[in-house]
Amino acid sequence: MKLAPYLLALSLTASAAAAAEPPGFESRLDGLADSWAHVNYEVRDTAARATEAERLAGQAEALARQYPNRAEPLVWEAIAQATEAGAKGGLGGLALAKSARGLLQKAEKINPAALGDGSVYTTLGSLYAQVPGFPIGFGDPAKARTYLSKALAANPGGIDPNYFQGDFLLRQGDAAGAVKVLDRALAAPPRPGREVADRGRRAEATALLAKARQKLKS
């Protein structure tokens, strides 16, 4: 089978990039993903979760300093900070959410497709959806909708983009729309190596779907 010229160029570029990949870089990213899943879904104590999320953010920051031209460590640092923000709440949590937004905006400029699953857009959208709006915070439903739509365009069958779109729609009072995308989230294919994250997100999607369906009945 012959490759079209542009596909051949893309293939060669990808091969060159893979050859130039820093030794252990991908395994360290996998380690960040595994650690986050443990912190977010298996650490039950809120204070302990905040502490572990802060430690994880520090590890991601160190990797980002080592590889300043890579977006992936910035995304994981932002995700860890957002998790810490959720655990802490209050003004401290808001400051962390702002920091996470800044990291994601930086990552977006480097490579908006980092991690290959729409994570940059998903996380930005979820922050704009969940953080309080002006004058307290930077929450903005219009920006949330834009980023979450980009996330779905990048990864239409993914569990995370559909879950956060469902969460957003339910917050906006669109229970029917939420049910549709949450059903899609629960139908998402498993992610190899992400079993803990998948199990935790499916549990969240199941609970949110029940809430959306209850809204439709009321």
Side-chain angles (χ1 to χ4, degrees), residues 12-200:
L12 292 172
T13 301
S15 297
E21 193 70 46
F25 181 79
E26 290 295 337
S27 64
R28 292 171 72 181
L29 285 180
D30 289 342
L32 292 174
D34 292 343
S35 295
W36 175 80
H38 167 68
V39 170
N40 196 56
Y41 292 116
E42 297 181 333
V43 177
R44 302 298 182 185
D45 180 76
T46 304
R49 189 183 311 124
T51 298
E52 289 299 306
E54 182 180 11
R55 179 188 59 79
L56 180 59
Q59 292 176 351
E61 181 186 13
L63 190 60
R65 286 199 305 267
Q66 190 174 358
Y67 301 106
N69 295 322
R70 298 300 298 260
E72 296 91 342
L74 294 171
V75 179
W76 278 116
E77 184 181 356
I79 290 172
Q81 286 190 349
T83 300
E84 184 185 357
K88 285 187 172 179
L91 293 177
L94 181 58
L96 285 163
K98 288 180 179 178
S99 177
R101 178 185 61 167
L103 289 166
L104 290 163
Q105 289 170 335
K106 183 178 179 180
E108 184 183 13
K109 290 178 181 178
I110 297 171
N111 178 16
L115 300 180
D117 60 358
S119 287
V120 172
Y121 296 137
T122 300
T123 313
L124 272 170
S126 67
L127 285 173
Y128 279 113
Q130 296 180 32
V131 169
F134 181 84
I136 298 172
F138 60 84
D140 186 326
K143 288 184 178 179
R145 189 180 297 276
T146 296
Y147 278 116
L148 291 171
S149 295
K150 288 183 177 182
L152 280 172
N155 186 14
I159 189 169
D160 287 342
N162 283 288
Y163 169 77
F164 282 107
Q165 178 79 330
D167 177 74
F168 170 71
L169 291 175
L170 193 57
R171 290 171 186 269
Q172 296 300 303
D174 183 2
V179 166
K180 181 179 179 179
V181 292
L182 289 168
D183 276 333
R184 195 184 305 151
L186 289 170
R191 297 173 290 184
R194 300 293 307 280
E195 290 80 11
V196 174
D198 279 352
R199 185 165 57 248

